[in-house]
Structures are given as C-alpha cells and as structure tokens.
Amino acid sequence: MSDRVYIFDTTLRDGEQSPGCSMNTPEKLRMAERLVALGVDLLEAGFPIASDGDYEAVDAVSRAFPWVQVAALARCTRKDIERAASALEAAKRPRIHTFIATSDVHLQFKLKKSRQQVLDEAVAAVQLARTYVDDVEFSAEDATRTDWDYLEEVCKAVVAAGARTVNLPDTVGWSVPEEYGALIGRVAKSLGDTAVVSVHCHDDLGLAVANSLAAVQNGARQIECTINGIGERAGNCSLEEIAMILKVRGDRLPYHTAIVSEELYPASQLLSSLITFGPQPNKAIVGANAFAHEAGIHQDGYLKNKSTYEIVDPRSVGVPEGVLVLGKHSGRHALKDRLVSLGFNLTKDELDVMYERFTAVADRRKKGLMSEEIAELAREIVEAGSTESASAQVAGD
Ligand code: KIV
Ligand code: ZN
C-alpha cells in the first residue's frame, strides 16, 4: 500500500458552517488560493443545496482553480445531488461527496428510517452521482457509533455502486484511537484496493488528530481536516497538526503528504483574519505562543542550542523571523514582510497609513507589537479602505 496520504481540506465547508466562521464567496476564494498554495489535494468548497452562497462558492472555486480537485457536499437525495452536480459543472476535476447517517441513534431519532432503507438510499445516491461525475465519495455519517457489520455492508454496497472513496466520520468525536484504528483496519481490509478509505474526525474529546493518525496506521489514505481545526462544536482535525506530525515524526509514521509546510502559518493567519477568531495562543504549530520561550531555564537552554526546547523550526511552518514582536525600530520593510506573512497585501497608500499607526503605537510601548496586534491594525485599515471605496461608489452612482 502506498504511503501517500491525501489531504482533503474542508475549511470552506465543515469549518465554514460552524459559529463565527461564515465566509462569503470572495473570502472563500482568497482562502482557497492559500489552500492551493499549501498543496491540499482536495478542496471541499461548500454544500450547494444549503444556500445560494454555497452554490456560488463551489462554482467560483471550480472556475478559479481548474487544476484542483473540488468537492461539493450532498445528502443522499436527488435534489442535493443535482444541485451539487450543477455547482460543479465548471470544475475540471469534480467530486460529489454524498452522505447519510448509518448509526441506529441517527436512524431512529433523526431519519426515522430502517437500515435497509438507508442502504438503498446510499446506493441510489452514489449511482445517481456517478451519472454526473466519475469521482464520488460516500460518507457514513456517525460511522463510529454504527454497528460494524452493517457499516461494512454499506461500504461494500456503495463501492459496488461506484464510490471511489469511502469516508468513515467520527461525527461526534466519540471514538478513541485504538478503537477507531480497528474499525478503519476492518473496512480497509474488506475493501482492499477497490476504494480509498477516508477519515473525518471531530474533536469533542480532543482526539481528532490522534484518531486520524490511528486510522492512517490502519489503512486510511485520506484525511479530512481544516485549518486551525475549525468546525462544528470543538472543531475538526487540525490540518497543520497532521501535516507537521507526519513531517516531523516520519521515523514512527512513514507517510507523506503534498503539503508545503511553509504555507501553514500564512494560511492560518489569513483564515483568522476572515473569520471572527484565531487559534488559541497555545495552539500547536500556529498559535501565537507556539514558538515562544518564556521560562528562564527554557530561554537559557534555547539560547545555547535551539534543539533543547524546539522540535519544529518556526521557519519550516512559515512563521517569519522574529514573529512575536515588531518594535518601533523595525523598518517599513520588516513591517511589510510581516504583513505579507500574515496574509495582507496592502497597497502603497494603505502601507503608508499602516506604518504611521504602527510607529505611533510602538512608540508608546516597551515591548513592541505582537503579530495579532499588527494584523488587527491592518484589518482596520483594509476595512476602512473598502468602506471608503464603497461610499465613493455610492456617491458616484
Ligand atoms: O461530521 C460529519 O459526519 C460530516 C459529514 C457530512 C462528512 O461532516
Ligand atoms: Zn464533520
């Protein structure tokens, strides 16, 4: 079996649908550009039946990045699948991702359907999706709370119906690594090379990354994840953590992805500027403190040799030199570099205003400005700029 693990990014779908994370189409396009630079294998751009905005975003991302595989989500219904297929019409490498819940608790209380009905609907949905696209993924929602025999039966049936990827989500973050690994191992063995087994873990018990890795060790070859781990409730599996674990601990986990690790931090920063919150300061890889050494003993060791307290070189994830603080003595150049690394490409005029405000604040400070604060100033300037140009347009109309 190949050691290549495919990264299916769902920041723009599962991530975007969670509180405080809405993005409009231009914002999704900006984020998609960074995700493409990051080297994700698949971009899930939306759930077209859910809203016109999602439909438009799938269409726009498909047109803007024709060389990238673009996925659209659909329930196992004709209406959903037709809508997804239509949104993907411009895509050169479209994937319809269709799903239905398979656990008894969802069947009984949510769907009010029998196991046989769900199996029949899953098969029919995959067959219908295949009339539009060659690449169909099927997800058994709440797979980890589904009876394993029934789950295996559904997986085999959807593959026979034409699904190329079978995803077994831990929808409610219920599973633990050993258990999830065993489930994935069983399904991977049963499907052999007829389909790629995919994983999609939520982080309700803080195990999304650990569960995804256990799955890979047991035969999964696609991981669904999001930047900064955003997503429903406690979020999805964090893309940056998965990518760096596989890169840094290749000795124990000999698998590889196409992720360009230097793009991780810029992607995280851009996302934070588009939604209403950033990662917590102590978040691995992309948090503001992820590479800060504060305690005396740590600082002492670090200054003697970085490897004493640093297992990831900040530059390898795109954290710019000296990212933590930029002081009043920092020049325009350093400020511009920092802004670019934070995902801001300011015009010359905006940069002039930014520099003036930055030095004014830095002058009053002893400690300089953190990246977060610099990003905040830049956001204000960009927003003021767009409001001004909108008012100018209204005045001109
Ligand atoms: O968490 C989940 O089960 C999902 C599916 C729609 C893939 O997001
Ligand atoms: Zn999910």
Side-chain angles (χ1 to χ4, degrees):
M1 184 180 262
S2 154
D3 64 358
R4 173 74 156 85
V5 172
Y6 295 95
I7 297 296
F8 177 113
D9 179 88
T10 185
T11 306
L12 305 180
R13 198 281 296 171
D14 215 353
E16 195 262 352
Q17 74 189 29
S18 59
C21 297
S22 301
M23 284 176 256
N24 58 31
T25 300
E27 289 167 338
K28 280 196 177 184
L29 278 170
R30 279 182 72 196
M31 196 60 218
E33 191 180 358
R34 287 239 77 100
L35 293 168
V36 170
L38 178 61
V40 305
D41 296 292
L42 276 119
L43 269 175
E44 186 166 53
F47 187 9
I49 197 81
S51 70
D52 289 345
D54 268 41
Y55 180 94
E56 187 187 290
V58 171
D59 175 57
V61 170
S62 303
R63 290 176 198 279
F65 307 100
W67 64 95
V68 176
Q69 270 181 285
V70 179
L73 189 69
R75 286 168 299 188
C76 287
T77 67
R78 175 171 288 277
K79 250 173 105 180
D80 276 39
I81 289 168
E82 285 173 352
R83 186 85 173 142
S86 158
L88 285 167
E89 241 162 46
K92 295 275 181 295
R93 301 177 67 199
R95 171 179 292 190
I96 294 180
H97 175 194
T98 187
F99 75 100
I100 191 164
T102 50
S103 64
D104 286 337
V105 61
H106 277 239
L107 265 58
Q108 187 186 345
F109 297 110
K110 186 180 83 175
L111 299 177
K112 303 190 191 313
K113 287 181 178 160
S114 69
R115 286 186 180 182
Q116 189 60 47
Q117 267 176 301
V118 163
L119 189 140
D120 292 344
E121 286 179 23
V123 166
V126 170
Q127 283 168 342
L128 176 63
R130 277 300 302 267
T131 64
Y132 293 102
V133 296
D134 288 338
D135 186 359
V136 174
E137 170 173 336
F138 172 78
S139 281
E141 191 190 8
D142 205 19
T144 50
R145 294 191 299 168
T146 299
D147 174 79
W148 287 20
D149 290 336
Y150 174 60
L151 185 63
E152 192 176 338
E153 190 187 345
V154 172
C155 292
K156 282 171 134 168
V158 292
V159 171
R164 286 186 176 173
T165 303
V166 172
N167 184 38
L168 302 178
D170 187 22
T171 304
V172 291
W174 164 254
S175 216
V176 295
E178 194 198 1
E179 177 191 28
Y180 194 51
L183 173 63
I184 297 295
R186 174 170 168 175
V187 173
K189 193 165 164 219
S190 156
L191 296 182
D193 58 10
T194 59
V196 172
V197 175
S198 165
V199 293
H200 175 117
C201 296
H202 282 267
D203 209 30
D204 299 66
L205 293 175
L207 287 170
V209 170
N211 282 335
S212 301
L213 291 174
V216 168
Q217 289 178 299
N218 285 279
R221 285 296 177 269
Q222 175 177 285
I223 301 179
E224 303 195 355
C225 44
T226 61
I227 296 292
N228 294 348
I230 65 167
E232 286 286 356
R233 306 179 308 280
N236 285 63
C237 174
S238 145
L239 188 157
E240 55 278 1
E241 291 176 25
I242 282 289
M244 289 313 289
I245 293 167
L246 294 182
K247 184 168 173 162
V248 173
R249 294 309 310 271
D251 56 329
R252 305 291 297 202
L253 295 156
Y255 310 100
H256 70 274
T257 67
I259 293 297
V260 179
S261 64
E262 291 77 9
E263 295 288 340
L264 288 169
Y265 186 75
S268 162
Q269 289 289 315
L270 177 64
L271 180 66
S272 306
S273 76
L274 295 176
I275 63 175
T276 57
F277 57 92
Q280 79 264 22
N282 60 335
K283 166 85 169 64
I285 313 299
V286 292
N289 293 347
F291 302 102
H293 304 276
E294 192 65 36
I297 293 174
H298 287 214
Q299 279 187 357
D300 181 51
Y302 176 80
L303 291 173
K304 286 174 179 147
N305 190 309
K306 288 186 184 176
S307 67
T308 52
Y309 287 102
E310 199 166 84
I311 60 158
V312 175
D313 180 345
R315 286 167 304 185
S316 73
V317 298
V319 174
E321 209 70 59
V323 71
L324 290 177
V325 173
L326 216 53
K328 61 179 176 180
H329 300 297
S330 312
R332 266 177 99 83
H333 225 86
L335 179 63
K336 189 175 170 197
D337 281 357
R338 176 70 56 88
L339 287 165
V340 170
S341 75
L342 292 169
F344 293 95
N345 282 305
L346 300 192
T347 62
K348 191 185 163 303
D349 288 350
E350 284 170 337
L351 189 64
D352 286 344
V353 180
M354 175 75 203
Y355 189 63
E356 209 175 288
R357 291 209 198 151
F358 162 74
T359 45
V361 179
D363 238 357
R364 296 195 298 269
R365 292 273 184 88
K366 279 206 172 70
K367 279 183 147 183
L369 275 80
M370 307 273 285
S371 287
E372 255 308 292
E373 299 169 290
I374 294 168
E376 190 55 47
L377 277 181
R379 263 194 292 279
E380 282 169 23
I381 288 165
V382 172
E383 270 160 27
S386 26
T387 318
E388 266 166 36
S389 58
S391 330
Q393 201 179 338
V394 171
D397 282 349

